[in-house]
Amino acid sequence: MTEGLAIALAILVFVVVTIAKGVRLVSQGEEWVVERLGKYHTTLRPGLNILIPYLDKVAYKLVTKDIILDVQEQEVITRDNAVILTNAIAFVKVTDPVKAVYGVTDFSEAIRNLIMTTLRSIVGEMELDEALSSRDKIKARLRESIADEAVDWGLTVKSVEIQDIKPSPSMQKAMELQAAAERERKAAVTKAEGAKQAAILEAEARLESAKRDASAQVMLAEASAESIRRVSAGIGEQTTPMLYLLGEKYITALEKLGESGSSKVVIMPADLQETLRGLVGRLGVRS
């Protein structure tokens, strides 16, 4: 190889390298940040771009498509001192590449930590029941709180979703014990209410039965009195019919007494008629 050929080959290589350094093809969905002599110079858009070789350098290549940031699970203490576990996912987009690379060291890590701290702050202001049932409210407040910071870093927060929010394992166990105790309390209250109602109904039944018994006794007494009045009115001054009725009742009573299994001896008066006259005489004196 001659000296002239070597020089020509070196010049050719230099030209090829120079063209390669000066021509840049940027893909769709990307933007490149160019520095000239260590200072920001321009941002290359998708397509063909021309640089000054050896002076301009592509310092950063940024993706301008939506970026998915997974926020790791963390423990959060609510206002009523309950521990819950929560994580989130964010969708952000680089809208200003210059701020994204020069405004913060690592914008992905920065926005992820901002979401975590803001989420702890929002949930910490809520009680357990409110935090577990307010996903939409937490999401709206979270997005609103980090929007301004994200703009300063050249980012747009398109959406923040709460993936999961649940009590910690120890808190779940405590809640289960509390729920079991509440169920037992309700069962005891229901049983006590049932016993109370049963006692009330039983007392009312006894009262009604007593009232009916008293009413029946009054009616029976009134019927007996009416019967006596009618018999007295029908007999008048005559004692023979009275003796007949009393004798009949007396004999019937003696028959029942004799039929009783516990009766051994039945003593009858010697003069039944005189006995009945004595009863009539007593009735006459009482009347």
Side-chain angles (χ1 to χ4, degrees), residues 269-287:
D271 191 346
L272 181 59
Q273 185 174 359
E274 290 299 327
T275 302
L276 294 175
R277 288 183 185 279
L279 290 174
V280 173
R282 291 182 183 178
L283 293 173
V285 171
R286 291 181 181 179
S287 61

Side-chain angles (χ1 to χ4, degrees), residues 13 20 32 49 63 76 86 139 173 181 230 266 276:
V13 171
W32 296 359
N49 296 269
V63 177
V76 181
T86 180
K139 180 178 69 175
K173 184 176 181 180
R230 290 186 180 184
V266 178
L276 294 175

Side-chain angles (χ1 to χ4, degrees), residues 179-192:
E182 182 65 17
R183 286 194 296 269
E184 291 179 358
R185 185 190 68 81
K186 288 183 178 180
V189 170
T190 302
K191 183 178 180 180

Side-chain angles (χ1 to χ4, degrees), residues 18-48:
T18 301
I19 293 175
K21 286 182 173 291
V23 178
R24 288 288 187 269
L25 290 176
V26 180
S27 301
Q28 188 67 37
E30 294 183 357
E31 291 185 6
W32 296 359
V33 176
V34 177
E35 294 179 351
R36 177 171 291 178
L37 300 177
K39 184 179 179 180
Y40 170 74
H41 175 62
T42 188
T43 300
L44 303 183
R45 309 296 177 181
L48 178 64

Side-chain angles (χ1 to χ4, degrees), residues 29-154:
E30 294 183 357
E31 291 185 6
W32 296 359
V33 176
V34 177
E35 294 179 351
R36 177 171 291 178
L37 300 177
K39 184 179 179 180
Y40 170 74
H41 175 62
T42 188
T43 300
L44 303 183
R45 309 296 177 181
L48 178 64
N49 296 269
I50 304 299
L51 301 178
I52 298 178
Y54 309 110
L55 294 180
D56 296 339
K57 180 185 71 172
V58 176
Y60 301 97
K61 296 180 180 181
L62 300 179
V63 177
T64 56
K65 296 180 287 186
D66 289 349
I67 301 173
I68 303 173
L69 296 179
D70 189 12
V71 181
Q72 65 189 28
E73 186 177 74
Q74 61 177 333
E75 290 187 350
V76 181
I77 300 177
T78 61
R79 187 171 60 185
D80 52 350
N81 296 322
V83 180
I84 62 175
L85 302 177
T86 180
N87 59 353
I89 186 170
F91 300 88
V92 300
K93 182 179 178 65
V94 176
T95 54
D96 190 336
V98 177
K99 290 183 178 180
V101 296
Y102 296 113
V104 64
T105 302
D106 185 345
F107 67 85
S108 296
E109 188 66 20
I111 199 71
R112 184 180 290 110
N113 282 278
L114 179 62
I115 291 174
M116 291 177 65
T117 55
T118 306
L119 185 59
R120 283 199 300 268
S121 176
I122 293 173
V123 175
E125 298 175 357
M126 299 180 175
E127 294 187 355
L128 176 61
D129 294 339
E130 182 184 3
L132 295 178
S133 60
S134 303
R135 289 195 178 202
D136 292 338
K137 181 179 178 181
I138 295 173
K139 180 178 69 175
R141 289 188 57 187
L142 183 60
R143 185 177 183 277
E144 181 181 356
S145 298
I146 67 176
D148 293 339
E149 293 289 343
V151 170
D152 292 340
W153 296 334

Side-chain angles (χ1 to χ4, degrees), residues 213-263:
D213 289 342
S215 178
Q217 290 176 4
V218 170
M219 293 177 65
L220 182 60
E222 291 177 351
S224 298
E226 181 65 22
S227 176
I228 292 172
R229 283 196 297 269
R230 290 186 180 184
V231 170
S232 298
I235 294 175
E237 299 296 332
Q238 300 178 11
T239 60
T240 303
M242 177 69 75
L243 293 174
Y244 174 78
L245 291 175
L246 291 176
E248 185 179 12
K249 295 291 184 180
Y250 188 74
I251 292 172
T252 301
L254 291 176
E255 288 179 353
K256 290 183 178 180
L257 183 61
E259 292 175 356
S260 176
S262 60
S263 300

